[in-house]
Amino acid sequence: MTFLFDLFAQGAQMALVLALSPLLIGFTRKVKARLLRRRGPPLLQPWYDLLRLLKKEVVLAEDASWLYRAAPYVIFATTWVAAALVPTFATGLMFSWTADLIALAALLGAGRFFLALAGMDVGTSFGGIGSSRETMFGSLAEPATIMIAFIVSLIAGSTQLSEVAAYMASDFELRVSVLFALIGLIIVAIAENGRIPVDNPATHLELTMVHEAMILEYSGRHLAVIELAAAMKLLLYVSLIACVFFPFGLARHDASLEAMGYGVVFYVVKLFVAGFLLALFETSTAKMRVFRVPDFLGAALMLGLLGTLLVFVTRSL
């Protein structure tokens, strides 16, 4: 019976991240529209768009190879697995032993690799520009992510997210290194998800596009799968920040069904708060020029390095 309950809890988490990720996008768009004194689209509009795309015919470029057709499903699978491994409403679930910070970075890196290859596969200029920019940004974002993982793993004594969340919840202490890790992870999350000020997913200007340039030739179900994967990636980073730095409300894996229900409520509240703050930040910030993005990501890398050094220095005192 316990095995079945653990399996149900893990399946519920996988279904939850799949269902909530487009709603997070819809909520952010709604808040941004309200802040700009507009009515805005419905909360379920991202789901309506995905269902509309799934019904449309797939149009492929003449030069598209098997890689171009397979890439959306590989990106979706790696992102869904990574998003489902991050503790959302409970820690210590059935697959929590695989929820390792280094493994998450590897899964996201694999998704980025296939997305960049797909962008170059059809040989268009837009795809090549987007892939080169994505690779350049990734070369700075991934080291910053690893350094941030070093900070939290050195403090918590583990790279497993369930153990990190349990440590942060039980031994909360204000540390400068943790603050550096939080700011660095927020910068990486903004860049990795192509949000303002790094990229603007609502525009298709060739001088500024990054993510949209790589998927410009996709259509139908391929585009729907990629858009759903992009929504899950945003939810993954929000879940990661909430799990590591704001772990309150997380239930234990052996908790009752009622406690897990409260965990789901806390998680949804965290998503709403993160979506509101993201919308507020994007409406008050202008998009930066592309060649300034490395400086933006370099700040995250420096914060990660400084935070790691602070952890070692404070331990030696």
Side-chain angles (χ1 to χ4, degrees):
M1 191 65 183
T2 305
F3 173 78
L4 290 178
F5 184 77
D6 292 343
L7 191 63
F8 169 76
Q10 186 67 63
Q13 172 157 299
M14 296 187 71
L16 192 66
V17 298
L18 187 66
L20 291 181
S21 48
L23 290 180
L24 178 60
I25 298 289
F27 178 74
T28 306
R29 290 176 182 171
K30 189 76 174 180
V31 174
K32 285 176 68 175
R34 288 295 186 184
L35 291 173
L36 296 172
R37 297 181 181 275
R38 292 189 285 110
R39 183 186 296 272
L43 287 177
L44 293 175
Q45 189 61 46
W47 268 118
Y48 297 150
D49 294 339
L50 291 174
L51 295 175
R52 176 175 53 83
L53 287 172
L54 288 173
K55 295 177 182 176
K56 286 193 172 184
E57 182 183 0
V58 174
V59 178
L60 290 172
E62 292 183 358
D63 300 328
S65 69
W66 64 270
L67 177 67
Y68 187 79
R69 295 188 292 274
Y73 304 107
V74 176
I75 296 165
F76 174 79
T78 54
T79 309
W80 191 16
V81 170
L85 291 180
V86 179
T88 55
F89 61 88
T91 59
L93 295 181
M94 180 175 281
F95 298 148
S96 63
W97 59 276
T98 59
D100 189 277
L101 283 167
I102 307 300
L104 288 181
L107 284 170
L108 293 175
R112 183 205 312 279
F113 175 71
F114 278 95
L115 184 60
L117 286 183
M120 293 185 293
D121 187 73
V122 292
T124 62
S125 57
F126 283 122
I129 291 173
S131 298
S132 62
R133 288 174 178 173
E134 178 74 9
T135 306
M136 179 182 69
F137 297 163
S139 64
L140 291 170
E142 289 182 3
T145 306
I146 297 296
M147 296 310 298
I148 293 165
F150 282 162
I151 295 174
V152 296
S153 59
L154 286 170
I155 292 173
S158 173
T159 56
Q160 286 195 1
L161 282 171
S162 290
E163 297 184 12
V164 171
Y167 180 86
M168 291 293 189
S170 63
D171 188 23
F172 178 77
E173 183 182 351
L174 288 176
R175 296 184 177 92
V176 177
S177 55
V178 174
L179 180 62
F180 284 175
L182 173 60
I183 297 173
L185 189 56
I186 291 174
I187 293 174
V188 170
I190 290 172
E192 289 280 48
N193 289 283
R195 309 296 304 192
I196 296 175
V198 174
D199 193 7
N200 188 355
T203 64
H204 288 80
L205 299 174
E206 65 273 16
L207 293 178
T208 60
M209 281 193 299
V210 181
H211 179 265
E212 296 297 320
M214 291 184 288
I215 64 173
L216 205 57
E217 301 296 324
Y218 276 112
S219 61
R221 63 177 181 277
H222 290 161
L223 183 58
V225 169
I226 288 181
E227 292 288 354
L228 184 54
M232 282 194 295
K233 191 174 181 180
L234 176 62
L235 184 133
L236 181 154
Y237 275 97
V238 173
S239 303
L240 190 60
I241 292 171
C243 160
V244 174
F245 301 101
F246 307 99
F248 57 86
L250 283 170
R252 289 173 53 87
H253 69 284
D254 53 353
S256 63
L257 198 59
E258 184 182 6
M260 291 207 175
Y262 282 122
V264 172
V265 173
F266 274 109
Y267 178 61
V268 173
V269 170
K270 291 175 189 175
L271 289 184
F272 282 154
V273 171
F276 177 80
L277 293 176
L278 177 62
L280 186 64
F281 177 74
E282 290 189 340
T283 51
S284 57
T285 307
K287 179 171 177 332
M288 66 174 63
R289 300 165 82 173
V290 174
F291 61 80
R292 291 190 60 189
V293 176
D295 298 336
F296 185 64
L297 282 169
L301 181 58
M302 287 306 299
L303 287 172
L305 286 169
L306 287 174
T308 307
L309 288 174
L310 275 176
V311 173
F312 283 114
V313 169
T314 52
R315 281 188 173 184
S316 62
L317 290 178

